[in-house]
Amino acid sequence: MSKRYPKQVLSARFMPDSVTVKESGEVTADITWSTGAQVRRYDWWEDKEFIEELSMKDDHVDMSRLNSGAPFLADHRQSIGYVIGVIEKAWLEDNEGRATIRFSQRDEVAPITKDVQDGVLRNVSVGYQVREFEKIEQDEDLPIYRAVDWLPMEISLVAIGADAGAQVRADASE
């Protein structure tokens, strides 16, 4: 019998100081799109729970898609109307996935951009494809499936993300 895990509610410090507005009206922000946090998942085919973990090691993450202008989406919705920006650059640092995103200047995106600037919207989530898992069995806990070869494909602004540490970043000086 597997242990029951309570719903995780983690807090992360947020300050909208990483949002930059240029004279041209261009708005960018630095984000953390993954901390490699363990997330409880359910396998519908096997009818089992497990823990998923994204390895944040350089040689486990294929950054090519993010660094070729991947979309910044609203709620992982994959259609043109939900593209709210673009990934300008992405990198791994201190066991975290980080990126600089640039918001679209379309009129309908302006309220979203404003809510990010005001600290109202702050959570992000990464959409990804796993190519290889490493399974780690645990005696009394759920097995861990660690993604050791995976491809981030998009980053989304979301109301609630699986990784509570994935957020719009505070100024590094704080």
Side-chain angles (χ1 to χ4, degrees):
M1 175 185 252
S2 65
K3 287 185 179 179
R4 286 282 176 206
Y5 289 82
K7 182 177 179 180
Q8 291 182 326
V9 179
L10 304 173
S11 62
R13 190 174 70 149
F14 169 78
M15 296 292 290
D17 297 342
S18 75
V19 178
T20 303
V21 182
K22 297 182 179 175
E23 283 187 36
S24 64
E26 180 179 288
V27 179
T28 63
D30 291 334
I31 62 172
T32 296
W33 49 267
S34 182
T35 63
Q38 293 185 343
V39 177
R40 188 175 176 177
R41 301 280 191 201
Y42 189 79
D43 182 339
W44 294 98
W45 289 278
E46 299 289 328
D47 191 32
K48 297 192 255 191
E49 292 178 300
F50 65 97
I51 302 295
E52 182 184 59
E53 179 182 304
L54 299 174
S55 170
M56 300 309 295
K57 292 183 178 180
D58 286 337
D59 58 341
H60 292 178
V61 187
D62 179 350
M63 301 288 286
S64 62
R65 196 91 179 241
L66 291 184
N67 282 311
S68 63
F72 185 55
L73 301 174
D75 294 318
H76 295 294
R77 295 189 181 195
Q78 298 178 14
S79 67
I80 291 171
Y82 290 96
V83 175
I84 58 173
V86 65
I87 310 305
E88 291 288 303
K89 67 178 180 174
W91 66 97
L92 300 175
E93 182 180 322
D94 297 330
N95 291 317
E96 293 182 348
R98 297 183 182 174
T100 299
I101 58 100
R102 177 171 44 92
F103 285 91
S104 169
Q105 292 188 39
R106 295 190 327 267
D107 290 341
E108 62 270 21
V109 177
I112 295 169
T113 305
K114 177 76 169 115
D115 280 350
V116 170
Q117 288 175 285
D118 292 345
V120 174
L121 295 174
R122 57 180 80 179
N123 298 304
V124 297
S125 178
V126 62
Y128 56 93
Q129 174 187 55
V130 176
R131 298 173 179 149
E132 182 182 347
F133 279 111
E134 167 187 75
K135 185 177 180 182
I136 303 164
E137 293 288 352
Q138 303 188 93
D139 290 336
E140 294 188 29
D141 287 335
L142 296 174
I144 297 171
Y145 284 80
R146 180 177 296 134
V148 294
D149 182 4
W150 63 285
L151 173 70
M153 299 175 67
E154 55 87 0
I155 299 171
S156 286
L157 188 63
V158 296
I160 301 171
D163 182 344
Q167 298 202 350
V168 178
R169 293 186 56 78
D171 186 310
S173 64
E174 295 187 14

